[in-house]
Amino acid sequence: MRVLLVTVGSQGDVQPFVALASRLRGAGHEPVLAAPALYQGLAAAGDVPFVPLDLDMTEVGRAVAGRHGLRHLFAFAKAMGRRAGQVLPGVSACATVPGQADVVVHHPVLPIGQHLAEMLGVPAVVASPSPALVPTREFPSAAWPCAIGLPALLSRASYPAARYLTGAWCRREVDGWRRSTLGLGRRPGRHDPLGDPSVTVLHSFSRHVVPRPADWPATAHVTGYWHTRSDPAWAPPRRLADFLGTGDPPVYLGFGSMPVDSPAALAEAITMAAKRTGAKFVVHCLDPELRRRLAGDSERMLMVRQVPHDWLFPRTAAVVHHGGAGTAGAAAAAGRPQVIWPFGIDQHFWAARMTGLGVAVPAGPVRTLTGDRLARAVDQAISDLRVSDLAQDLARRVRAEDGTGQAVAHLERLARGASVAARA
């Protein structure tokens, strides 16, 4: 089976695709991953053939800086849509890959994979890290940060709105690309990743975190997490090994690729939390000002740029993060208490979900983060035995799943069905 995987976004959007592609190769299939050029190293580590896409997520980060909640969501969707033109040449190149593809698996954050599948005449599969697209009465779309707690009727209505938003700012450009490059005309529902009701949707999270809604169609699946495994030969830098080997396990704090509004205020909050709780902190830190402000306390603070979550998180006392689907899943698999300060998009959904499961302590939107609130949340996360026990129980159930194996099995069945239909 030849599988073309197309994804854009942050590292948390790309890593699950690398995990799936690596598993496909292990099962004897032929995957090709198209993703932002920045992540070529991730693909190489997984021994996955790679097609680079021209998309700089730092530009998107600047576009959403200082925005939260709905403003963050709309700014993100607009920034991604307006950069579709940068991505389309690389996606077009995928059509010339020898052997092309038997199926196209794509991330819905920029819904262009379905057009490529249409041109190739093969099934398109949506791979979503969050329950944001397939309607249910049980909860509203994870894409809407303000929708938690909506009544059932409005819950279902939130899903078509989320699907419309994914490509709202690139429709004209994509239509031109369809016509001039792919040779495709207009058709109803062409910009909706679920415009064809028979489209398979693979959700790359655990049913123990989000149980599959009873009113979902048979085409929507919950596979379990698609986690990459760090290289067994990977060794931590000496400073990190020494920091972890001295005293109690540290608290991890990192907000992924989210831009920090005020590095000075965040540094003050972390410093206050460390003093009040007595905890050490490993801080995932890309902002130079934040690094500078925290650098003076080497006994309680260590800044890191890139450490595999599956290696680091089990060695921590708690995980403080922004609520990205990938980070929340990695913390769940590690069995560590979480403290989530969401910025926007689906991060509010994951914060509510993990708190509801009892594996995260209540926090709030990142704009409400203060030193006092961070200290109280961290203290509860590292001292509340019930939270710790629930986190470890969830981890046992999550780790027992085979997310990428389930996804491969679904793709194999889909490809066999398409092959039979083609011969008929």
Side-chain angles (χ1 to χ4, degrees), residues 3 5 17-25 30-34 39-51:
V3 183
L5 304 103
F17 277 72
V18 173
L20 177 58
S22 182
R23 184 62 177 269
L24 283 163
R25 278 182 67 84
E30 302 174 27
V32 173
L33 174 64
Y39 303 116
Q40 186 159 2
L42 290 178
D47 193 26
V48 173
F50 187 78
V51 175

Side-chain angles (χ1 to χ4, degrees), residues 376-415:
R376 283 189 279 117
V378 166
D379 184 60
Q380 182 180 352
I382 62 181
S383 62
D384 191 325
L385 294 181
R386 175 170 170 75
V387 176
S388 178
D389 288 345
L390 288 171
Q392 292 175 30
D393 178 65
L394 177 62
R396 284 191 289 270
R397 289 179 285 148
V398 165
R399 290 198 298 262
E401 296 177 311
D402 181 11
T404 54
Q406 287 292 316
V408 169
H410 284 302
L411 294 175
E412 288 173 338
R413 285 193 291 270
L414 182 65

Side-chain angles (χ1 to χ4, degrees), residues 80 87 106 119 148-149 231 291 315 380:
M80 289 295 292
V87 175
H106 66 108
M119 187 274 289
I148 295 170
D231 185 343
R291 295 181 70 86
R315 294 170 168 81
Q380 182 180 352

Side-chain angles (χ1 to χ4, degrees), residues 110-341:
L110 191 60
I112 52 181
Q114 71 261 29
H115 307 290
L116 196 58
E118 183 181 350
M119 187 274 289
L120 294 173
V122 301
V125 172
V126 174
S128 181
S130 299
L133 303 181
V134 183
T136 176
R137 292 180 180 273
E138 295 185 17
F139 49 79
S141 168
W144 297 104
C146 61
I148 295 170
L150 283 178
L153 182 61
L154 294 179
S155 288
R156 287 192 67 88
S158 70
Y159 290 88
R163 298 206 301 269
Y164 176 84
L165 188 66
T166 57
W169 280 275
C170 63
R171 281 169 165 74
R172 180 178 299 179
E173 192 151 24
V174 169
D175 275 341
W177 173 65
R178 281 174 58 90
R179 181 181 62 255
S180 63
T181 303
L182 303 184
L184 300 173
R186 294 171 177 262
R187 61 169 176 80
R190 63 192 178 280
H191 297 296
D192 183 350
L194 301 188
D196 179 349
S198 68
V199 166
T200 295
V201 184
L202 302 179
H203 294 92
S204 55
F205 51 76
S206 170
R207 62 185 174 86
H208 301 297
V209 176
V210 182
R212 185 183 184 279
D215 58 350
W216 267 5
T219 51
H221 309 279
V222 175
T223 64
Y225 286 108
W226 302 353
H227 282 149
T228 56
R229 298 287 181 260
S230 57
D231 185 343
W234 187 87
R238 181 166 183 174
R239 288 178 62 243
L240 176 58
D242 291 345
F243 192 77
L244 294 171
T246 305
D248 294 330
V251 172
Y252 171 89
L253 187 147
F255 295 144
S257 60
M258 296 295 100
V260 176
D261 295 349
S262 173
L266 180 57
E268 182 180 351
I270 297 171
T271 301
M272 179 185 293
K275 288 180 179 178
R276 290 193 180 182
T277 63
K280 303 186 302 182
F281 278 78
V282 172
V283 182
H284 175 257
C285 182
L286 303 178
D287 186 283
E289 182 180 351
L290 183 60
R291 295 181 70 86
R292 179 176 60 80
R293 288 179 177 273
L294 293 176
D297 190 354
S298 59
E299 291 187 5
R300 285 182 297 190
M301 304 285 176
L302 180 69
M303 273 68 72
V304 297
R305 293 183 183 274
Q306 200 66 272
V307 180
H309 286 173
D310 68 307
W311 186 93
L312 178 60
F313 284 3
R315 294 170 168 81
T316 65
V319 178
V320 181
H321 62 99
H322 59 300
T327 308
R336 291 299 176 262
Q338 302 179 48
V339 182
I340 305 177
W341 303 89

Side-chain angles (χ1 to χ4, degrees), residues 67-92:
R67 294 174 170 86
H68 303 283
L70 273 179
R71 293 180 65 228
H72 183 280
L73 170 63
F74 281 100
F76 177 81
K78 185 176 181 180
M80 289 295 292
R82 291 192 168 175
R83 285 162 179 80
Q86 302 173 18
V87 175
L88 294 178
V91 175
S92 301

